Amino acid sequence: MEWQADMSFAAYCLADADELWQRYARHEWIESLALGSLTDERFAFFHRYDVAYSADMHRALAVGVAKAPTGCDWARAALRVLYESFILDKQQRKQRLLTRLGLPPTVPLARAARGLSRDAYANHVLRVGWEQPTGVLAAALLPCAMFTEIIGARFATDPPATRPEITEWVKGYVNECDADMTRRHAELMDEHALVAGSEGRRAMRAEFRRSVEYQTRVFDAAMSLDDDIVTTGGDKPADPTRSIR
């Protein structure tokens, strides 16, 4: 499939990576959440190691802001995310969520506790941020930002068959700030595609696909309850039989 100038480049990347994208968007973790059969441990595994990873996603945004053209709408949206989504607040929200579910509220900030799949994902976007133009960084960040659709939009109209605490977490992805950042990623990719030439478009396509792969591996790890995680307390989740209902 060849890109045409009258086509959104973000839409092209989605279509080009359709098989990979479906593995992510319809991952067993997400489908189990929808059915109410996702175990507490698998739900907690995803959240327990999310904040340390999110901190580096924010660092990548900050690098992009520093490199973005003056007056860039993408930079304005990124600054809003950095201002409104404070990492320590996110940690506390996840701790409260796990506590309400009767689970250990362990949500570490240390990179050593991040897990290999998230470590690879975070290092990937940081590398792109340092090495590539902001348009390519937008492509690398878009799969994560599209949680607004994968989780937010999907479950806003078809809530998961699960507990109120989980439904409340899902609703957190239906917000104007995150939706605006997702749109700005796509717009910047479209703008960059028009001026970057074939090499620039190839870079966006490659980094987008790589991010989709990493995002899928994060869910793979949560389903297997194993990501070679280094913890300070040795409290690796165990029993996968207890379900969220």
Side-chain angles (χ1 to χ4, degrees):
M1 176 181 176
E2 294 293 328
W3 176 69
Q4 305 296 325
D6 61 348
M7 179 184 187
S8 161
F9 195 77
Y12 164 76
C13 285
L14 275 169
D16 176 72
D18 184 63
E19 184 175 351
L20 296 175
W21 186 259
Q22 292 306 318
R23 282 170 43 203
Y24 161 37
R26 295 293 177 178
H27 195 279
E28 184 182 2
W29 191 97
I30 297 173
E31 296 308 306
S32 296
L33 177 67
L35 294 171
S37 60
L38 185 69
T39 65
D40 287 0
E41 287 73 21
R42 286 172 174 144
F43 182 80
F45 193 103
F46 177 87
H47 289 281
R48 187 167 285 131
Y49 306 107
D50 185 51
V51 177
Y53 148 86
S54 297
D56 272 343
M57 301 297 277
H58 279 205
R59 292 184 180 97
L61 277 176
V63 171
V65 168
K67 298 170 70 171
T70 302
C72 176
D73 288 334
W74 179 92
R76 183 188 296 271
L79 286 170
R80 181 182 175 189
V81 169
L82 293 172
Y83 178 75
E84 295 188 10
S85 181
F86 191 53
I87 292 297
L88 290 180
D89 289 343
K90 185 173 185 178
Q91 180 191 37
Q92 292 169 2
R93 285 195 301 272
K94 288 185 180 292
Q95 288 172 332
R96 288 195 297 270
L97 172 62
L98 295 181
T99 298
R100 289 171 66 188
L101 291 171
L103 298 167
T106 307
V107 182
L109 290 175
R111 289 180 176 180
R114 193 162 54 192
L116 293 183
S117 63
R118 290 189 187 272
D119 201 47
Y121 198 177
N123 290 339
H124 160 61
V125 295
L126 282 171
R127 176 190 59 78
V128 174
W130 284 113
E131 296 179 357
Q132 297 284 358
T134 314
V136 182
L137 175 61
L141 291 171
L142 182 59
C144 182
M146 287 188 71
F147 239 54
T148 55
E149 296 184 18
I150 299 298
I151 297 294
R154 174 181 173 180
F155 291 131
T157 56
D158 185 19
T162 187
R163 299 192 215 165
E165 294 88 353
I166 310 303
T167 303
E168 183 179 329
W169 165 70
V170 164
K171 289 180 179 178
Y173 286 98
V174 185
N175 66 83
E176 198 274 330
C177 179
D178 288 341
D180 182 52
M181 188 75 260
T182 304
R183 287 193 300 269
R184 299 304 181 186
H185 284 321
E187 289 174 1
L188 189 60
M189 289 171 66
D190 293 347
E191 294 170 10
H192 191 65
L194 294 174
V195 300
S198 59
E199 286 299 317
R201 291 190 290 272
R202 189 175 298 114
M204 281 195 290
R205 173 182 174 271
E207 304 302 4
F208 177 87
R209 291 176 66 93
R210 187 177 293 263
S211 287
V212 176
E213 287 274 18
Y214 281 131
Q215 189 78 55
T216 303
R217 291 182 187 184
V218 166
F219 284 121
D220 288 344
M223 283 302 295
S224 67
L225 299 174
D226 186 10
D227 203 13
D228 288 327
I229 290 176
V230 179
T231 63
T232 56
D235 56 342
K236 183 177 288 188
D239 181 11
T241 62
R242 183 179 167 206
S243 297
I244 294 175
R245 295 192 185 280

